Each structure stands twice: as structure tokens, then as C-alpha cells.
């Protein structure tokens, strides 16, 4: 059976940590997955696929600086992803790239529990399979992602050379990405910048958190567009903001805004469990995307209008403030 082997020397700052907790983070990093379940890792440990200093380890093993940790990872069998005739709102398209205005509720690429109805399923049908293959069969053409309940602009690459060119721009933070959001509370400053590393939450593995071990640099610029004080049922009011990403970490805007006590409306993961507007997911829209075209080398910028649910929300807020 084919397998991949990952290994590392434990840093002294990780001395005393449980092996399963440590490897949950490392395995997500090695495999470039948003998260790796603890149960999956425990199965690997029980099958003696995890070694510490060349000896099979237990999940509750405490690691120490200088330990050699090795994991034998069975090669995943990826399912065939089918092309599906799902309508797409295409903002721009040529032979190298296309920009899609993604609707709320659509998952970007197939994963456990979502093997159909995704953006990738729709792209395979629309592009007749002509998509970059750098990110594998599960994520053809996908250079970056936005959350299932986030709407707005997302760029897709048709060729590997275009993919590499766009990925390089992302790594240099030279792509323009501006989002619209509504948050709980009244932000007093007209503009501000939020800085704080973002990484996997140490306890809740489905969440991200600021200033955690092995977090990555994250910078979000925030500009206030409108304030809605004195709302019925919301004594602290709401603020309509534009957020410009300097970096692109998982859940970055949601985590950063929650970290300064202004969580997004509708965000039950990082914000309030209940609110009066009955929203389905966070109020977040990727409104502007600007990039240098991989062929022409000219800067291009596109804007997607606010979705209907977002426009109706703003009308309600204006009427009730």
C-alpha cells in the first residue's frame, strides 16, 4: 500500500505536550488541510503508524525537545468528482482565469460530507475539465477559498502557469481583497488595523484563534462605512464595515473582528449564538478582487454587488436605528 512519511524533530518549546495534540497541528500543516480530526489521528496511533524515536507511541505520550516524531500516512483514496450543471455567476473569464461571484451556502471544493453541489463540481462542467491541477483532483483551479456562508468574488485558474502566478501574488500580499461586513457593536474609530497571528484553536479544533502557538501573521485593515446605534434588541448597536486583507488566513476577518469584541452578525462560531435577524451564517461579502493578469501583466480589478440578503439587512438596520 502506498504511503507518505512525515517526520520532524520536536522543538524544545513543545516539551511536555501530548503527542496527539501536537500531531493534530503538525499533520494539518504537513497535509495543508484546514483541520485533522483527533479520532483519525488516534486510529493512526493505534495502528502503530506513529513513532517517537523509532518506537510506537501512545496518544497520551508526552513529547520532549529533540524527539524524532515520524508518522506513516496511508495515501488517501480520492473519490471521483463529477461535473455538475450548476449555474455560475461569472464576473470575468478568459483562457487563463475566471472570477466567480459565489453565492451563500455553496462549498468551494469537495470534502467529507460535501462531494456534490460544490463550486468545483460546477467549474468542472463549465470549464470542461480545463482547470489547473496544482491543488489536485479535489481542488482543481482553486487558488484560495472563501467560507461556505461567505459570498462574493473568488478567482479560479485554468492553467498551471496562471495558478503559480496568482499563488505568488497571494504569498506577496499584492492582491487586492476587500470585504463588506456588519458587526455587533459601534466601532468608534473611522479606520483601524488589526494585527495578531492566527492559528488552530488549542481546544476547539474546528475554530481558529489569535495569538496561539504556531500561528501565522495576519493583518486586517478596517474602515467604518456606517453606524447603527440604538437598535431594538441590540442595545450595543451594529457597524457596517469594509475589511481589506493584507494576509489571507483561515476565517481571518471573522477571527480578527471577534478578537476585538466586534463579531460578525450571523456568525454563531465566533459571535453570538442567537440574534434577531435570523441570518444563515456570517454577514460577509467579498466585494472587490484585484490582481495582475498572468498573461497581460496588467492590473485588473472587479467588484461584486452586495447579495440580496445583505441589502435587505442594511435596509432593516437603517429603518430601525
Amino acid at each position: 500500500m502506498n504511503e507518505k512519511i512525515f517526520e520532524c524533530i520536536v522543538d524544545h518549546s513543545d516539551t511536555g505536550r501530548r503527542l496527539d495534540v501536537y500531531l493534530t497541528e503538525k499533520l494539518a500543516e504537513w497535509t495543508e488541510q484546514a483541520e485533522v480530526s483527533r479520532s483519525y489521528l488516534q486510529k493512526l496511533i493505534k495502528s502503530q503508524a506513529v513513532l517517537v524515536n523509532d518506537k510506537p507511541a501512545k496518544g497520551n505520550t508526552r513529547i520532549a525537545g529533540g524527539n524524532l516524531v515520524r508518522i506513516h500516512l496511508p495515501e488517501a483514496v480520492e473519490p471521483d468528482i463529477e461535473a455538475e450543471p450548476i449555474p455560475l455567476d461569472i464576473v470575468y473569464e478568459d483562457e487563463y482565469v475566471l472570477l466567480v461571484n459565489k453565492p451563500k451556502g455553496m462549498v468551494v471544493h469537495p470534502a467529507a460530507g460535501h462531494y456534490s453541489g460544490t463550486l468545483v463540481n460546477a467549474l468542472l462542467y463549465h470549464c470542461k475539465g480545463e482547470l489547473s491541477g496544482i491543488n489536485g483532483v479535489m481542488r482543481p483551479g482553486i487558488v484560495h477559498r472563501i467560507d461556505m456562508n461567505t459570498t462574493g468574488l473568488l478567482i479560479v485558474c485554468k492553467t498551471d502557469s496562471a495558478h503559480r502566478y496568482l499563488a505568488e501574488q497571494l504569498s506577496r500580499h499584492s492582491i487586492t481583497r476587500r470585504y463588506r461586513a456588519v458587526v455587533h457593536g459601534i466601532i468608534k474609530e473611522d479606520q483601524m488595523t488589526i494585527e495578531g497571528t492566527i492559528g488552530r484553536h488549542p481546544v476547539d479544533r474546528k475554530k481558529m484563534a489569535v495569538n496561539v502557538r504556531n500561528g501565522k501573521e495576519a493583518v486586517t485593515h478596517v474602515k467604518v462605512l456606517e453606524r447603527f446605534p440604538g437598535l431594538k434588541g441590540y442595545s450595543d448597536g451594529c457597524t457596517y464595515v469594509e475589511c481589506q486583507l493584507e494576509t489571507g488566513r483561515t476565517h481571518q476577518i471573522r477571527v480578527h473582528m471577534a478578537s476585538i469584541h466586534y463579531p460578525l452578525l450571523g456568525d454563531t462560531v465566533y459571535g453570538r449564538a442567537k440574534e434577531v435577524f435570523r441570518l444563515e451564517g456570517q454577514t460577509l461579502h467579498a466585494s472587490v478582487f484585484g490582481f495582475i493578469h498572468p498573461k497581460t501583466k496588467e492590473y485588473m480589478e472587479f467588484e461584486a454587488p452586495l447579495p440580496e440578503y445583505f441589502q435587505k439587512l442594511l435596509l432593516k438596520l437603517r429603518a430601525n436605528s
Side-chain angles (χ1 to χ4, degrees), residues 24-281:
T24 299
E25 297 175 3
K26 295 300 291 184
L27 200 54
E29 175 186 327
W30 287 332
T31 58
E32 297 184 346
Q33 295 182 31
E35 63 179 277
V36 175
S37 71
R38 193 80 64 84
S39 61
Y40 172 67
L41 185 58
Q42 289 290 354
K43 289 180 182 178
L44 292 175
I45 292 172
K46 287 181 180 179
S47 66
Q48 298 190 340
V50 178
L51 307 177
V52 175
N53 296 332
D54 295 322
K55 294 180 180 180
K58 296 181 180 180
N60 60 2
T61 297
R62 298 287 174 173
I63 56 176
N67 285 166
L68 170 64
V69 176
R70 181 183 296 118
I71 182 167
H72 295 255
L73 192 64
E75 188 170 8
V77 178
E78 296 181 328
D80 292 330
I81 306 303
E82 296 184 3
E84 298 178 13
I86 301 170
L88 289 172
D89 182 2
I90 297 175
V91 178
Y92 173 83
E93 181 177 13
D94 60 29
E95 59 186 302
Y96 301 97
V97 299
L98 72 154
L99 265 82
V100 178
N101 183 15
K102 189 188 81 66
K104 180 177 280 285
M106 176 179 269
V107 174
V108 171
H109 63 78
H114 294 281
Y115 289 114
S116 65
T118 73
L119 178 62
V120 163
N121 294 107
L123 289 169
L124 287 172
Y125 183 87
H126 176 79
C127 299
K128 298 178 174 59
E130 294 183 0
L131 295 165
S132 68
I134 290 176
N135 270 342
V137 298
M138 300 288 277
R139 295 185 286 177
I142 303 301
V143 187
H144 68 115
R145 296 173 291 177
I146 54 179
D147 298 333
M148 178 178 72
N149 285 320
T150 298
T151 58
L153 294 174
L154 183 143
I155 196 165
V156 176
C157 291
K158 294 184 175 182
T159 68
D160 286 356
S161 60
H163 190 128
R164 284 189 287 267
Y165 194 80
L166 266 296
E168 177 62 25
Q169 290 182 63
L170 282 167
S171 68
R172 295 199 311 265
H173 314 313
S174 60
I175 284 179
T176 301
R177 284 176 291 172
R178 294 201 294 272
Y179 290 69
R180 297 293 177 93
V182 180
V183 302
H184 292 282
I186 301 298
I187 300 176
K188 295 180 180 180
E189 301 91 338
D190 290 334
Q191 297 186 51
M192 62 180 175
T193 296
I194 308 171
E195 299 183 57
T197 60
I198 292 178
R200 188 64 51 186
H201 194 286
V203 178
D204 188 343
R205 307 305 300 171
K206 294 182 179 181
K207 295 174 63 174
M208 308 298 287
V210 296
N211 301 325
V212 294
R213 184 194 298 268
N214 299 323
K216 295 182 179 180
E217 174 195 13
V219 180
T220 305
H221 304 287
V222 182
K223 180 170 70 174
V224 170
L225 301 176
E226 204 168 346
R227 297 179 177 91
F228 306 104
L231 293 171
K232 183 178 180 181
Y234 279 88
S235 59
D236 53 350
C238 298
T239 306
Y240 178 31
V241 298
E242 179 179 81
C243 298
Q244 180 158 337
L245 294 181
E246 190 171 312
T247 55
R249 309 305 176 201
T250 301
H251 299 173
Q252 178 170 320
I253 292 173
R254 299 166 64 189
V255 174
H256 264 174
M257 296 308 298
S259 74
I260 60 170
H261 310 295
Y262 296 108
L264 273 61
L265 261 67
D267 191 345
T268 57
V269 176
Y270 298 101
R272 299 180 180 180
K274 295 181 180 180
E275 33 113 315
V276 299
F277 297 105
R278 298 180 181 177
L279 298 168
E280 295 182 8

Side-chain angles (χ1 to χ4, degrees), residues 5-16:
I5 300 175
F6 298 96
E7 66 179 30
C8 66
I9 302 295
V10 176
D11 189 272
H12 286 282
S13 62
D14 289 309
T15 294

